[in-house]
Amino acid sequence: MSAPVIVYLHGFNSSPQSAKGRQIAEAAAALPDRPLFHRPALAHRPVQAIRDVCAWIDAKAPGGRDLALIGSSLGGFYATWLAEKYGARAVLVNPAVRPFEDLVPFLGPQRNPYSGETYDVTRAHFDELAALAVARITRPERYFLLLRTGDAVLDWRAAAARYAGAFQYVAGGGDHGWVDFGAEVGSVLRFCGCRA
């Protein structure tokens, strides 16, 4: 079995430089059989973000070969669509379930705190997100869901119900950013197909 191809997808107004993204990338790079690891800066427009990620996957993992996705928050929503498209494994960390509704309060001007990029969230963003909604996941065993009950941004119960049948780890307390995520990195990489 060859090392997997792993794509890490950050959340809304986040960055590849987020703590979780860095921790996973550093742990993957330290493995003896290093995976091909990609941490793209996702475009703020959902259609463009998905188009860019698909182009990279099609070039580096044709047909989704040995592909695993890791998505945090909005990235988890994207990872679900991509996992269904490519038949890939997906690790979802506090994933958004209905971002086309959850992001409505952010309608209007935004500034990414990592990149400094400014842009407007418009109704078109919500339409593009709704078009990416997966009606029902197939093969739940391809999914590993990590949730914190203290997430004040998204309701962990909605994700637990949405991904019923998937491998689930629900930890008490915590927050949406999962500040102590380092303890979970090993299990995330193992699920993605990495060998220590």
Side-chain angles (χ1 to χ4, degrees), residues 78-152:
Y78 290 153
T80 301
W81 187 90
L82 291 162
E84 293 297 321
K85 173 180 172 59
Y86 290 103
R89 291 180 299 260
V91 177
L92 312 174
V93 183
N94 288 337
V97 173
R98 299 180 64 81
F100 40 89
E101 294 173 357
D102 297 331
L103 291 176
V104 169
F106 296 92
L107 188 66
Q110 297 295 319
R111 182 180 181 278
N112 185 298
Y114 291 89
S115 67
E117 176 191 16
T118 58
Y119 62 96
D120 287 321
V121 170
T122 67
R123 298 270 176 209
H125 284 79
F126 307 143
D127 294 340
E128 291 174 15
L129 287 168
L132 294 170
V134 171
R136 185 178 57 83
I137 60 168
T138 62
R139 295 180 50 209
E141 69 277 6
R142 287 188 313 210
Y143 292 88
F144 179 24
L145 181 66
L146 293 98
L147 299 169
R148 294 303 298 252
T149 62
D151 186 340

Side-chain angles (χ1 to χ4, degrees), residues 60-86:
K60 302 295 185 180
R65 182 181 50 81
D66 298 322
L67 176 64
L69 302 146
I70 303 170
S72 176
S73 193
L74 180 59
F77 179 80
Y78 290 153
T80 301
W81 187 90
L82 291 162
E84 293 297 321
K85 173 180 172 59
Y86 290 103

